[in-house]
Amino acid sequence: MVQEQVYRHGRGGEQVRPFAHAARVSCRGYSLGLQRVVTDFGADVSFARVPEKVREHYGIEVSASTVRAITEGHGAALESESEVSVELPLGGVTRLVTEMDGSMLPTVQMAEDKGDKRRQRKVNWTEARLCLAGLPESVSRKYAATLGSVEEAGRQWKGCVVQAGGGRHTHLHCVGDAASWIEAQAARQFGSQASYLVDFYHVSEYLAKAAVVVAPQSSQAWLHTQQERLKKNQVVEVLAALAPHCEAAALPAAEAPVRVCQRYLRNHLAQLDYAGAIAAGLPIGSGEIESSHRTVIQSRLKISGAWWLVENAGKMLALRVTRANQEWKSYWTQLRQSNA
């Protein structure tokens, strides 16, 4: 608490508050420095835990509701900045690795009519779509994310590629599971600049299920053989190994792992160039984006007991992506300069 001296220009004149002016704070307000502290904690841990951390490190009392308001306020500002409509510039780096994937977040929708909101809320799961892009030889990555439509995810993906240095002359090595919306957005946003590779380990899951039927006594050895064939682009040989064991069409898919695997491979023949990727030193799996979902999004937005309004989840997503992109410091620097 600060005991502030207040002056007036003559009797009944304008009030002068030297401390508030110098510290750039208002009565019952929060300085930009304190807002940064609160938002820093609020972006990482539950709002309920932040007051204790602020008290321990800075000796300042702040309520959990204030923490939420400040943190989500800055998230909203960052979210509006992340709305992109970009085109790939001329030139660009030679090659980028880029991935896209989705994960489900716990969300809640509140009824608009009056009454006990606890009895009128509807819980749901909303997909957060995260993408990354970076140079193959670098560990540094740029990220973008959205809770919006697949079209919005595609626009964010293109913006992410531009941030990573991509342009019209950049070859994009895209890796992901076989989700149709990811494939469609890769084609729509990047066209012939992009090559799309189905995640090797995703394909291996189909082969592993088929192996139990094809070689029940040596399923692991059979699986390893087919994986090595795929790495050499010998998909014809893999299909030939599956063919004699293909189940009847009348069987449901859940009881026909060989047929399902065979169909899966045939549907993605143009996206299985593992030999080319390996020769170029490029990844054949999408583990990086799956790991990024845990570190960028889930470690905060899927903490135990957390359910989010979709609009608030979007604000928190913007905060998390800003930090992952190493843009946290620049955001606060620009904010301080604009308030100077």
Side-chain angles (χ1 to χ4, degrees), residues 5-44:
Q5 290 181 314
V6 180
Y7 304 92
R8 287 188 183 278
H9 286 297
R11 181 175 295 180
E14 181 183 357
Q15 191 178 72
V16 179
R17 309 180 73 163
F19 173 81
H21 178 75
R24 295 192 179 94
V25 295
S26 60
C27 182
R28 301 183 185 277
Y30 296 83
S31 69
L32 195 59
L34 182 54
Q35 289 182 48
R36 179 173 180 174
V37 167
V38 167
T39 307
D40 197 12
F41 285 132
D44 285 344

Side-chain angles (χ1 to χ4, degrees), residues 43-315:
D44 285 344
V45 301
S46 69
F47 299 132
R49 292 180 56 193
V50 175
E52 180 182 354
K53 289 181 174 292
V54 175
R55 186 186 311 115
E56 177 183 352
H57 292 283
Y58 300 96
I60 298 173
E61 296 289 340
V62 60
S63 68
S65 60
T66 297
V67 170
R68 176 188 290 274
I70 291 174
T71 303
E72 291 180 349
H74 286 287
L78 287 166
E79 187 178 28
S80 64
E81 290 180 6
S82 69
E83 295 176 358
V84 295
S85 178
V86 300
E87 294 298 329
L88 293 172
L90 291 173
V93 299
T94 302
R95 176 179 287 159
L96 288 175
V97 171
T98 183
E99 302 177 15
M100 169 81 84
D101 195 18
S103 67
M104 306 306 289
L105 296 181
T107 57
V108 60
Q109 182 178 2
M110 305 301 293
E112 295 183 0
D113 53 327
K114 296 180 180 179
D116 187 347
K117 298 298 184 183
R118 291 173 299 178
R119 297 178 182 176
Q120 300 178 46
R121 72 176 188 173
K122 179 181 179 182
V123 296
N124 203 351
W125 291 87
T126 302
E127 187 168 21
R129 298 179 171 95
L130 177 70
C131 61
L132 62 80
L135 296 170
E137 65 273 15
S138 173
V139 297
S140 178
R141 295 288 183 260
K142 288 295 183 181
Y143 298 90
T146 182
L147 291 168
S149 65
V150 295
E151 290 76 16
E152 175 59 24
R155 290 190 290 271
Q156 292 281 348
W157 197 358
K158 181 180 284 188
C160 180
V161 164
V162 171
Q163 277 195 308
R168 297 179 192 175
H169 297 157
T170 302
H171 173 257
L172 300 169
H173 177 70
C174 304
V175 189
D177 61 27
S180 59
W181 68 268
I182 301 178
E183 296 179 36
Q185 287 304 314
R188 180 174 180 178
Q189 300 297 334
F190 309 121
S192 60
Q193 285 184 245
S195 59
Y196 190 88
L197 191 69
V198 174
D199 172 49
F200 181 79
Y201 304 98
H202 191 72
V203 176
S204 295
E205 289 178 351
Y206 282 85
L207 285 169
K209 293 177 182 178
V212 177
V213 175
V214 175
Q217 303 302 318
S218 56
S219 58
Q220 286 300 313
W222 185 89
L223 172 61
H224 179 72
T225 298
Q226 308 318 313
Q227 288 175 320
E228 291 304 307
R229 284 173 170 171
L230 282 179
K231 289 179 181 179
K232 298 174 183 176
N233 284 6
Q234 296 174 351
V235 66
V236 173
E237 286 82 348
V238 176
L239 289 170
L242 290 167
H245 307 276
C246 189
E247 299 90 353
L251 278 178
E255 300 175 18
V258 177
R259 191 184 75 228
V260 169
C261 181
Q262 190 179 59
R263 183 178 64 228
Y264 182 87
L265 291 173
R266 285 175 174 167
N267 287 344
H268 298 93
L269 289 175
Q271 300 159 345
L272 303 175
D273 183 19
Y274 300 116
I278 292 170
L282 298 171
I284 62 174
S286 58
E288 187 173 8
I289 192 67
E290 293 170 7
S291 175
S292 296
H293 265 288
R294 291 190 291 272
T295 57
V296 177
I297 299 177
Q298 296 173 4
S299 62
R300 176 62 179 96
L301 278 83
K302 290 188 77 171
I303 59 177
S304 179
W307 288 85
W308 300 89
L309 293 174
V310 172
E311 56 267 30
N312 291 340
K315 298 168 187 176

